[in-house]
Amino acid sequence: MENCCKDKACEVEALQERQSSVLKIVLLINAVMFLAEMTAGLISGSISLVADSLDMLGDSLVYGFSIYVVTRGARMKAISALFKGGIMAMFGLFVLGQAIYRILFPHVPMFEAIGTFGVLALIANSLCLLLLWRRRTDDINMRSVWLCSRNDIIANVSVILAGVGVWLMHSGWPDILVGLALSALFLRSALFVLRGAINELKGVNV
């Protein structure tokens, strides 16, 4: 009798278990960082921190949904990617709205909070990216999750730069400019994920 590890069904089940374990860990990390960044963002008055914290919340929802579809078929995984793309788009539009609001109503946020929590978020997301790296080519579900995490790294570095800019210029403009840049990044990534999901659904339906 052949060893279970040589059986295709067994291999698939093992892969799904590894995917689920990784997703649960990154879900916990993002949920904790959401609470920390949101609190710091509201206290400091930083749009970049609030936006980044909401991105963490969005990622937590994305990872939760990804855990659900790990054992599902290609169609459900494509639908999951559509969900993720929709979240990216909503946060992109939200950040854009907040940036416009800050242009109309200027405010100088606390650069200390921006820098400190920006670094903490960068460390947290770097860990998530490392955990997801080996799983990024498994399927569209894990690929879109990895893309979300990669964008988070870019966002965290941008938040840190915003803190440095606010400190040097004593102005809220660096915070605003980072918000606009993050909005463009989220919307671009949303378009990429949505296109991939739609193409995947077309392939499944054929």
Side-chain angles (χ1 to χ4, degrees):
M1 182 175 181
E2 292 188 356
N3 188 286
C4 176
C5 292
K6 296 180 180 180
D7 185 80
K8 187 64 177 177
C10 183
E11 292 177 359
V12 171
E13 183 178 351
L15 175 62
Q16 291 172 344
E17 288 179 357
R18 289 193 294 269
Q19 289 181 349
S20 180
S21 297
V22 170
L23 289 171
K24 288 176 182 177
I25 294 172
V26 295
L27 168 60
L28 178 61
I29 292 173
N30 276 267
V32 171
M33 283 308 303
F34 158 67
L35 294 174
E37 272 198 297
M38 174 59 77
T39 301
L42 292 176
I43 293 175
S44 67
S46 169
I47 177 180
S48 59
L49 277 182
V50 170
D52 201 38
S53 72
L54 289 175
D55 184 43
M56 290 283 192
L57 174 61
D59 287 345
S60 298
L61 296 175
V62 164
Y63 296 142
F65 197 69
S66 296
I67 293 171
Y68 172 75
V69 301
V70 158
T71 58
R72 269 63 181 180
R75 179 177 175 79
M76 278 302 299
K77 291 179 180 179
I79 292 175
S80 172
L82 276 176
F83 176 72
K84 297 166 193 172
I87 287 180
M88 286 183 188
M90 285 190 295
F91 280 110
L93 293 174
F94 172 80
V95 174
L96 177 61
Q98 288 296 302
I100 293 174
Y101 177 83
R102 288 304 184 192
I103 292 174
L104 298 175
F105 304 95
H107 170 74
V108 180
M110 297 169 57
F111 66 85
E112 299 93 341
I114 299 175
T116 299
F117 283 89
V119 170
L120 290 176
L122 177 60
I123 294 173
N125 279 317
S126 295
L127 177 58
C128 290
L129 189 67
L130 181 62
L131 291 170
L132 291 166
W133 177 261
R134 294 181 61 185
R135 305 266 69 90
R136 74 190 190 285
T137 58
D138 287 351
D139 51 41
I140 188 173
N141 182 43
M142 298 305 294
R143 185 164 64 249
S144 58
V145 167
W146 178 81
L147 181 61
C148 288
S149 186
R150 187 199 66 179
N151 286 346
D152 290 341
I153 296 293
I154 300 174
N156 298 150
V157 173
S158 300
V159 169
I160 294 172
L161 293 176
V164 173
V166 171
W167 173 55
L168 292 175
M169 299 175 62
H170 302 287
S171 168
W173 271 105
D175 201 44
I176 294 173
L177 293 177
V178 166
L180 291 172
L182 291 179
S183 174
L185 174 65
F186 294 153
L187 292 174
R188 180 176 179 275
S189 296
L191 182 61
F192 177 81
V193 172
L194 289 172
R195 281 178 176 174
I198 291 173
N199 290 335
E200 189 82 7
L201 280 173
K202 288 181 180 178
V204 171
N205 291 330
V206 171

